[in-house]
Amino acid sequence: MRGAIFDVDGTLLDSMPIWMDAGARYLKALGLVPEEGLGDKLFSMTMTEGADYLNHAYGLQKEPSRIITEINAIVEEFYFGEAPLKPGAMELLGQMRAAGMKLSVATSTDHHLIEGAFRRLGILEYFSGIFTCSQVGAGKDKPLIYEMAAQAMGTAPAETCVLEDALHALVTAKKAGFFTIGIYDEASAAKQEELQKEADLYGKSLSDILEKLKEEQKL
């Protein structure tokens, strides 16, 4: 492999819980008690729908745009101050870089959140580019984000691995000719059997993936 494209949330960072917990954190900061299962309910909504729901369900009497701004601030605080690397990430990144591989990011999360987290964790310099779905104008149901990342690295899909914890994203990359690596994350546990079946290589952890890449002489 000459290049690697990393998803971030659930792959490099153990950050999926904030997307389920942001609404509850917000309500607790206001002195309110969130209902059980609030995260699951809000996760299926757009930000505006979620803000409207919180307004009506908890009597917030705020403009939806203000609620969105305040919740985004909680998410930003998490990335800038809390979001941890998944176990084995530093070793995998270090050995990939030592092997001369080029590294980049393909993520659905806003660029400034990823950059802030990576800078705090000391891994920003490992990556030649951070590509986001909003910046490229397409989600991970289309291969554009992976193709743009590979093009920027100067690597062909067949010599570039894509690491993903989400089934739909991994399938997109695989259909586009990339070598796909599936990684377990609790947030996508229900899809793990299918992810393992679709992936060219699968691991329960990044340390597991590192060992398998060495065994297959791909690193």
Side-chain angles (χ1 to χ4, degrees):
M1 293 285 108
R2 292 186 56 236
I5 302 171
F6 283 84
D7 169 56
V8 177
D9 299 298
T11 299
L12 271 179
L13 296 184
D14 189 9
S15 50
M16 289 304 293
I18 190 59
W19 298 106
M20 298 296 292
D21 193 43
R25 288 193 183 202
Y26 177 64
L27 292 173
K28 288 176 183 177
L30 296 175
L32 300 171
V33 179
E35 68 202 76
E36 187 174 344
L38 176 64
D40 290 323
K41 186 172 290 185
L42 295 179
F43 195 72
S44 64
M45 300 179 185
T46 66
M47 288 294 287
T48 300
E49 289 171 343
D52 287 338
Y53 176 80
L54 292 176
N55 242 342
H56 291 106
Y58 294 88
L60 301 184
Q61 297 182 339
K62 294 186 179 185
E63 289 294 326
S65 60
R66 181 182 173 188
I67 295 174
I68 292 170
T69 297
E70 291 172 346
I71 290 178
N72 281 340
I74 290 173
V75 173
E76 182 176 280
E77 183 179 356
F78 173 80
Y79 276 88
F80 284 16
E82 294 181 47
L85 284 168
K86 295 192 79 173
M90 284 298 295
E91 186 179 8
L92 177 60
L93 292 173
Q95 295 211 25
M96 282 182 163
R97 189 165 71 161
M101 290 178 65
K102 296 180 179 179
L103 309 178
S104 62
V105 162
T107 178
S108 300
T109 301
D110 288 348
H111 189 287
H112 81 286
L113 297 178
I114 302 303
E115 183 175 339
F118 281 15
R119 193 182 302 280
R120 172 177 55 83
L121 293 163
I123 63 170
L124 184 61
E125 64 176 23
Y126 284 58
F127 299 94
S128 58
I130 297 174
F131 296 84
T132 71
C133 291
S134 61
Q135 288 171 331
V136 305
K140 289 187 176 181
D141 56 334
K142 296 180 175 60
L144 181 61
I145 192 168
Y146 305 116
E147 292 168 345
M148 290 183 69
Q151 184 178 22
M153 294 189 298
T155 60
E159 58 187 10
T160 307
C161 57
V162 171
L163 293 90
E164 284 279 0
D165 68 301
L167 176 63
H168 76 281
L170 183 136
V171 169
T172 296
K174 184 175 182 179
K175 288 180 179 178
F178 290 89
F179 182 86
T180 55
I181 299 176
I183 172 71
Y184 173 83
D185 187 71
E186 186 177 352
S188 52
K191 299 279 189 178
Q192 289 306 298
E193 186 174 339
E194 293 173 85
L195 186 70
Q196 185 170 2
K197 180 180 178 181
E198 290 290 342
D200 296 307
L201 187 150
Y202 176 84
K204 287 287 188 179
S205 68
L206 293 175
S207 298
D208 187 20
I209 285 170
L210 175 58
E211 292 307 312
K212 289 181 178 180
L213 284 171
K214 288 180 177 180
E215 288 174 6
E216 297 191 11
Q217 297 184 333
K218 295 185 180 296
L219 180 62

